């Protein structure tokens, strides 16, 4: 019963698993497709964006295929348990969602274009699920790295909410919160990184609503 409850309800910090002070595994050095470092150092002028849009295998591929993206990696964000494992996250007892970290060149691909890809690549109205994938780790989320990103993300949500409502969808459930020290990004296990490059016929649960999202609704520099 406890397991079932935490598939559709976030745990409190007191209910979350204890975790560990250090990661339980090492992260690969480089991206298998783009060839660049996963954990940095990143070149000057690049920026970071964090998104949760369901199973991170297919979500990561959406972003690494985008021109201007320098590297991507998958991980866990928005929860309470430090340095969680995949099994712990899937139990619902950590509070994390599956996330993709996108390191990009804003001179080539603006943040608003990444937001458009984010919104159109999943259904942000489903709460703790994406399609047949059910659990708090599949919730829709944007974790921002600057006030400009926060403003742009909120503005894009408001604009997309209108067109979704006009298309018969319910309200957006996406959480938009700062990626501060209370919401660190914990990289996932090596086998999850660029999973669909290593397993081209592997599972991909990503699918959008078919409703186009307005872009350019807010400036997101810095």
């Amino acid at each position: 019963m406890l397991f079932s409850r935490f598939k559709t309800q976030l745990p409190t910090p007191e209910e979350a698993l204890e975790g560990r002070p250090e990661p339980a595994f090492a992260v690969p050095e480089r991206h298998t497709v783009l060839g660049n470092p996963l954990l940095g150092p990143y070149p000057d002028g690049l920026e970071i964006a964090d998104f949760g849009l369901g199973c991170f295998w297919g979500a990561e591929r959406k972003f690494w295929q985008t021109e201007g993206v320098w590297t991507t990696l998958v991980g866990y964000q928005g929860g309470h348990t430090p340095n969680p494992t995949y099994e712990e996250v899937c139990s619902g007892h950590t509070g994390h969602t599956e996330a993709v970290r996108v390191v990009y060149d804003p001179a080539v691909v603006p943040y608003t274009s990444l937001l458009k890809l984010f919104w159109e690549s999943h259904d942000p109205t489903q709460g703790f699920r994406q399609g047949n994938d059910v659990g708090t780790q599949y919730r829709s989320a944007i974790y921002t790295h600057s006030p400009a990103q926060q403003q742009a993300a909120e503005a894009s949500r408001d604009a997309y909410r209108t067109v979704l409502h006009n298309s018969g969808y319910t309200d957006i459930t996406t959480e938009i919160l700062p990626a501060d020290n209370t919401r660190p990004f914990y990289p996932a296990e090596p086998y999850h990184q660029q999973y669909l490059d290593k397993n081209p016929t592997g599972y991909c649960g990503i699918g959008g609503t078919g409703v186009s999202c307005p872009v350019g609704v807010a400036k997101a520099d810095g």
Side-chain angles (χ1 to χ4, degrees), residues 31-33 55-58 60-61 64 74 189-204:
H31 198 285
T32 61
V33 178
C55 176
F56 51 21
W57 294 344
E60 185 188 19
R61 183 170 62 181
W64 87 53
V74 297
E189 290 82 349
Y191 72 92
H192 288 303
Q193 306 298 337
Q194 298 88 62
Y195 178 85
L196 290 180
D197 176 54
K198 303 167 186 172
N199 303 274
T201 61
Y203 171 75
C204 175

Side-chain angles (χ1 to χ4, degrees), residues 18-103:
E18 182 178 355
R20 52 198 57 81
E22 300 292 337
F25 46 84
V27 177
E29 181 181 352
R30 292 187 176 273
H31 198 285
T32 61
V33 178
L34 302 176
N36 294 321
L38 295 186
L39 300 179
Y42 306 134
D44 292 343
L46 300 188
E47 297 181 4
I48 296 174
D50 294 332
F51 302 103
L53 55 156
C55 176
F56 51 21
W57 294 344
E60 185 188 19
R61 183 170 62 181
K62 288 281 188 180
F63 288 103
W64 87 53
Q65 293 174 336
T66 301
E67 184 179 4
V69 170
W70 194 78
T71 199
T72 60
L73 63 158
V74 297
Y76 314 115
Q77 200 164 9
H80 307 299
T81 301
N83 295 298
T85 66
Y86 180 65
E87 290 74 16
E88 290 170 345
V89 171
C90 288
S91 76
H93 288 235
T94 74
H96 293 91
T97 191
E98 295 188 15
V100 180
R101 171 153 288 183
V102 182
V103 182

Side-chain angles (χ1 to χ4, degrees), residues 90-196:
C90 288
S91 76
H93 288 235
T94 74
H96 293 91
T97 191
E98 295 188 15
V100 180
R101 171 153 288 183
V102 182
V103 182
Y104 68 101
D105 184 347
V108 179
V109 57
Y111 185 62
T112 49
S113 294
L114 298 179
L115 287 170
K116 178 179 173 66
L117 179 61
F118 164 79
W119 292 118
E120 294 181 356
S121 296
H122 75 302
D123 183 347
T125 70
Q126 291 196 323
F128 295 141
R129 69 179 301 155
Q130 276 299 304
N132 293 326
D133 294 331
V134 179
T136 54
Q137 79 269 26
Y138 299 117
R139 70 186 183 277
S140 177
I142 303 173
Y143 300 109
T144 61
H145 288 262
S146 69
Q149 282 193 2
Q150 184 77 20
Q151 180 185 8
E154 291 173 352
S156 68
R157 175 200 59 201
D158 295 345
Y160 199 38
R161 176 190 289 135
T162 298
V163 295
L164 284 177
H165 283 175
N166 291 341
S167 299
Y169 284 87
T170 56
D171 201 19
I172 287 174
T173 59
T174 305
E175 60 184 33
I176 303 177
L177 298 166
D180 57 22
N181 58 9
T182 67
R183 299 177 194 89
F185 177 94
Y186 296 107
E189 290 82 349
Y191 72 92
H192 288 303
Q193 306 298 337
Q194 298 88 62
Y195 178 85
L196 290 180

